[in-house]
Amino acid sequence: MTPAQLRAFSAIARLGSVKAAAADLAVTEAAVSMHIAHLRRELGDRLFTRTAGTLAFTPGGLRLASRAAELLGLQDRTILEVRHAGSGRRQLRIAASTLFAEHAAPGLIELFAHRAADLDVELSVHDPDRFPVLLRTRAVDVAIGPRPAAVEATMTCTHFLNYQIVAVVGADHPLAGRTVGATELREQTWLLGPSAVGRTGLVPSVLRRLSVPDHNQRIFQSQAACVDEAKNGKGIALAVSFAVTKAVAAGDLHRLDGPHLPARGSWNLLALADREAPEAAAELRRFVTTPRATQAMLRGAGVTAGRFRPAIHVTLWS
């Protein structure tokens, strides 16, 4: 099997047709078909058949689709490591949930990267449901966020920090200083960050428990933007408790006590087993549980420009 053959098959599995795979790879349909024919002869399996305008994959084809993604990811990772080794630098790619990326990642990255002069860190934000796939395909080296419902045997999960989500309103909001019930909470305007999108994580869980209707939810580009709107009396914001401690102490925000509030969660580091993970990933897993790391996450001032390379991802809501 060659990388070109695996890329052709992986594109077909991902996109659902030879034509779409050829367009994605910028090659002819004949070239894609030739790669598939070579794989079929070598593996002794049809891999897939065409039925009613769609593709039906054989059990062997489904297994190859999974392995092809892993092998291609490993190839890309190897190329990256060789290039960085030649330049004397290493790179650590971190996938994170939105809450962790905004509130705790900057301090952690600043302190961790400062310990190794040859290390660059890339942070990207993803839905935690995709963490296992990102790790299996070597798209990232570690993933940080809520603990998965099940941890795969080839991966390790390290718990390192507990946190609370609290509901806050501005000082002049009608609910300030009151204990409120679920019905009254549901009727309010909720000011939410990107962590509210999707079904995984603490914020979506709180909204489901309270049965907050969609028309009462306003999504902002960050948790900080939500908190600013709450200070102006525009509604209820869900915030990480340590991020609003000063504002609450100063009287700019008031915490609401009510059902399912505050909500408690934890952040965990997911990685491939030691023999599969890059050295920097194992280093981070050991470091993240230390008191210095915890202090940096709670109080960090951000990472020095040039050491932190964010990967840009855009999410559109309609």
Side-chain angles (χ1 to χ4, degrees):
M1 293 184 293
T2 67
Q5 293 166 3
L6 290 176
R7 290 190 188 281
F9 182 78
S10 183
I12 290 174
R14 187 176 75 254
L15 300 173
S17 74
V18 172
K19 181 177 181 180
D24 183 66
L25 298 173
V27 298
T28 65
E29 292 182 43
V32 172
S33 297
M34 180 185 68
H35 288 319
I36 299 306
H38 283 307
L39 284 174
R40 284 170 167 165
R41 285 196 297 271
E42 182 175 352
L43 298 175
D45 193 299
R46 288 286 299 166
L47 301 179
F48 61 85
T49 57
R50 292 181 177 84
T51 58
T54 62
L55 300 182
F57 286 84
T58 67
L62 293 175
R63 177 62 61 89
L64 179 60
S66 174
R67 291 299 188 196
E70 292 181 25
L71 290 169
L72 292 170
L74 184 58
Q75 180 193 34
D76 292 339
R77 177 65 194 175
T78 302
I79 293 172
L80 185 66
E81 288 178 347
V82 171
R83 287 176 178 171
H84 279 88
S87 64
R89 300 202 62 78
R90 297 179 296 157
Q91 185 176 41
L92 178 66
R93 299 166 301 167
I94 302 175
S97 64
T98 54
L99 275 183
F100 182 82
E102 182 171 352
H103 294 293
L108 175 66
I109 291 172
E110 193 277 333
L111 185 60
F112 182 69
H114 183 72
R115 299 166 69 249
D118 66 334
L119 181 66
D120 293 320
V121 179
E122 178 185 282
L123 177 71
S124 56
V125 178
H126 298 272
D127 184 334
D129 287 338
R130 298 197 62 236
F131 284 176
V133 172
L134 293 171
L135 288 168
R136 282 198 305 270
T137 59
R138 273 70 172 185
V140 300
D141 303 311
V142 298
I144 300 179
R147 182 179 179 85
V151 179
E152 298 182 9
T154 58
M155 299 179 185
T156 62
C157 185
T158 304
H159 166 261
F160 62 88
L161 188 65
N162 295 323
Y163 68 97
Q164 285 187 343
I165 289 290
V166 296
V168 293
V169 295
D172 298 328
H173 193 279
L175 298 184
R178 291 179 47 196
T179 299
V180 293
T183 300
E184 195 169 12
L185 286 172
R186 280 194 293 271
E187 296 171 350
Q188 303 299 314
T189 297
W190 289 77
L191 313 170
L192 307 165
S195 58
V197 179
R199 295 193 58 81
T200 302
L202 196 54
V203 171
S205 175
V206 171
L207 297 173
R208 286 196 301 271
R209 291 172 185 173
L210 291 172
S211 300
V212 178
D214 289 345
H215 64 264
N216 284 345
Q217 300 180 30
R218 295 177 59 198
I219 307 296
F220 292 80
Q221 73 272 22
S222 68
Q223 292 293 125
C226 303
V227 172
D228 286 341
E229 286 290 284
K231 289 179 181 178
N232 294 326
K234 300 296 180 63
I236 302 174
L238 287 177
V240 177
S241 59
F242 66 76
V244 296
T245 299
K246 291 182 179 179
V248 171
D252 297 327
L253 291 172
H254 287 261
R255 282 181 52 167
L256 294 181
D257 293 320
H260 310 298
L261 296 168
R264 293 171 174 81
S266 67
W267 283 318
N268 305 265
L269 187 148
L270 193 67
L272 295 175
D274 282 340
R275 68 180 185 276
E276 300 284 347
E279 179 186 357
E283 292 173 6
L284 179 61
R285 192 181 70 191
R286 292 189 292 269
F287 176 73
V288 78
T289 59
T290 64
R292 289 187 65 206
T294 299
Q295 185 179 38
M297 285 183 278
L298 299 182
R299 301 180 182 177
V303 63
T304 303
R307 301 300 304 283
F308 169 44
R309 300 179 179 178
I312 305 301
H313 297 266
V314 178
T315 302
L316 301 178
W317 293 282
S318 58

